[in-house]
Amino acid sequence: MQNAKAYAASSATSPFASTTIARRDPTPNDVQIDILFCGICHSDLHQVRDEWHDMMPTVYPCVPGHEIAGRVTKVGSSVTKFKVGDLAGVGCMVDSDRTCPECKQGFEQFCNNMVLTYNSPDKHIGGVTYGGYSDTIVVDENFVLRIPANLSLAGAAPLLCAGITTFSPLHHWGVGKGKKVGIVGLGGLGHMGVKLAHAMGAHVVLFTTSPNKKEDALRLGADEVVISRNADEMNKHTGSLDFILDAVAAEHDLNAYINLLARDGNITLVGAPPKPFQIGAFPLIFRRRSFSGSLIGGIAETQEMLDFCGQHNITSEVEVIPIQKVNEAYERLLKSDVKYRFSIDMASLKG
Ligand code: NAP
Ligand code: ZN
């Protein structure tokens, strides 16, 4: 066992504070990573504040962070995929059973025994897993990703969650040339959705509640921007979108978006606000529209996404902050006041 520096919340209402946590020594299959950057996902905030209590109650102290980018410092004796000095990434999962049908088909995220990067039982040292708001992490090499060398590390970290969570459904629902695609919410996930859908060749319409994000959305790859609180602007798109990705972190009216779908159009929810939605039957049954959800992506697909981002030079737009600003960052996240992802510079934890 070894000690690591970390930032933890000790209850749903406590601010983050500096602490020391235990990490296991690398087993033969493990890679130890010096964490250089960690993105702040809205899921971190939901989890730390125990907003998902009914689904995934939070165990305290909680060290969140699942957008981890760093450098390998140690490898176990059986590790073949990484060597000391390699760039490495870790996303939302650190293990799964690897034997179930989901794992065998590359859907580790749907494995019943999937282990989340934080707040999951830790079979190695007991307690729960601790995430990336820390200086180091030890992970099985099969759950460690390669980060293309041409990408900035601060901007690549958010790809490990925001990138794959948007890439996977865009890919699954056949987004590409000739498709009209809506992205709802220009936050951490949404801005990656805009960039990726644009790179896949789709016509991208960004729906936002924030008029001041319009210019940025166009710069990031949106072909059109709709202020979603303006009914006239919304109505212009009725029945026209092939696919909509909803990446909003708060309650909002989904029926307004379902009405914008074309025949057989699909709206996929990746946003995970705690309260259930109310969905009318009529917006769905007319035009045979469908409504689904999506959870991150499998390990192989995450690597595919990182390689795609490497080829297209895609990273997240980040505001780099020291870890000491994490409490302030959470308050700003709640006000949609981040362009467009906070990336924590972990050098600040070492000082
Ligand atoms: P974020 O950076 O806070 O972005 C959320 C965006 O939603 C905001 O920027 C804002 O965009 C919009 N929004 C906020 N409040 C709104 C409201 N009241 N009505 C309408 N729009 C509103 O959050 P994120 O990190 O991208 O995460 C988004 C959601 O996805 C979270 O619930 C998170 O837990 C979830 N998530 C799910 C997965 C998965 O695997 N399914 C993975 C990661 C995250 P505008 O200003 O443009 O309106
Ligand atoms: Zn996330």
Side-chain angles (χ1 to χ4, degrees):
M1 290 255 264
Q2 46 181 324
N3 285 335
K5 289 186 179 177
Y7 258 52
S10 55
S11 79
T13 51
S14 314
F16 281 99
S18 167
T19 189
T20 302
I21 55 168
R23 297 284 192 197
R24 67 179 182 268
D25 292 322
T27 69
N29 299 314
D30 285 337
V31 166
Q32 179 147 9
I33 299 163
D34 185 10
I35 301 175
L36 299 174
F37 292 95
C38 184
I40 298 181
C41 179
H42 208 112
S43 299
D44 298 348
L45 188 151
H46 290 308
Q47 189 77 65
V48 162
R49 300 195 174 177
D50 207 14
E51 292 175 357
W52 291 334
H53 184 83
D54 296 341
M55 276 296 294
M56 293 195 280
T58 307
V59 179
Y60 296 97
C62 176
V63 178
H66 56 210
E67 295 186 333
I68 297 169
R71 213 171 265 289
V72 174
T73 53
K74 266 187 213 161
V75 293
S77 54
S78 306
V79 167
T80 57
K81 297 181 184 152
F82 291 90
K83 59 179 187 333
V84 170
D86 285 351
L87 293 176
V90 178
C92 301
M93 307 178 274
V94 288
D95 207 352
S96 68
D97 64 28
R98 309 171 206 203
T99 54
C100 72
E102 300 292 3
C103 286
K104 286 199 167 144
Q105 290 175 68
F107 296 115
E108 296 90 349
Q109 75 272 34
F110 303 128
C111 168
N112 286 332
N113 299 305
M114 183 261 279
V115 179
L116 290 164
T117 304
Y118 59 87
N119 203 56
S120 270
D122 187 331
K123 71 175 181 192
H124 296 272
I125 57 173
V128 290
T129 50
Y130 292 134
Y133 296 8
S134 171
D135 58 354
T136 185
I137 191 165
V138 179
V139 181
D140 185 297
E141 66 164 335
N142 292 306
F143 286 79
V144 181
L145 286 307
R146 302 198 157 276
I147 296 179
N150 60 312
L151 301 181
S152 100
L153 218 49
L159 300 179
L160 275 303
C161 175
I164 183 59
T165 302
T166 49
F167 180 89
S168 181
L170 291 171
H171 204 219
H172 177 76
W173 289 97
V175 165
K177 264 200 173 46
K179 300 282 182 182
K180 185 175 171 187
V181 171
I183 306 286
V184 187
L186 197 69
L189 265 56
H191 92 288
M192 288 312 308
V194 168
K195 285 190 173 200
L196 291 167
H198 174 73
M200 290 171 181
H203 180 89
V204 182
V205 185
L206 184 271
F207 296 89
T208 180
T209 59
S210 309
N212 65 348
K213 292 181 181 173
K214 189 168 181 174
E215 293 309 312
D216 282 346
L218 294 169
R219 174 175 60 79
L220 297 174
D223 297 285
E224 300 177 61
V225 179
V226 171
I227 307 305
S228 53
R229 290 188 170 130
N230 180 324
D232 290 342
E233 282 193 44
M234 290 288 278
N235 289 340
K236 280 187 197 147
H237 294 272
T238 300
S240 73
L241 285 139
D242 297 297
F243 177 70
I244 298 177
L245 186 68
D246 189 310
V248 172
E251 263 178 282
H252 59 292
D253 178 22
L254 283 182
N255 299 298
Y257 291 100
I258 297 173
N259 278 324
L260 306 188
L261 290 170
R263 172 171 52 79
D264 289 325
N266 171 271
I267 179 166
T268 288
L269 201 66
V270 286
K275 284 202 187 140
F277 286 101
Q278 283 216 320
I279 294 182
F282 281 85
L284 282 176
I285 61 181
F286 275 87
R287 304 192 204 213
R288 202 165 54 192
R289 294 153 169 151
S290 64
F291 172 47
S292 13
S294 189
L295 177 71
I296 47 172
I299 291 295
E301 193 179 27
T302 305
Q303 191 60 62
E304 189 188 332
M305 174 278 306
L306 285 166
D307 296 344
F308 180 89
C309 289
Q311 279 152 22
H312 293 265
N313 231 326
I314 294 175
T315 51
S316 174
E317 307 281 299
V318 287
E319 185 175 334
V320 176
I321 57 161
I323 188 101
Q324 292 78 8
K325 289 236 162 117
V326 69
N327 292 310
E328 195 182 306
Y330 272 42
E331 293 313 311
R332 286 184 49 200
L333 194 58
L334 281 175
K335 291 187 234 151
S336 303
D337 174 26
V338 46
K339 292 185 170 174
Y340 280 90
R341 198 56 140 187
F342 289 113
S343 186
I344 308 169
D345 181 352
M346 282 303 161
S348 58
L349 187 57
K350 292 185 174 122

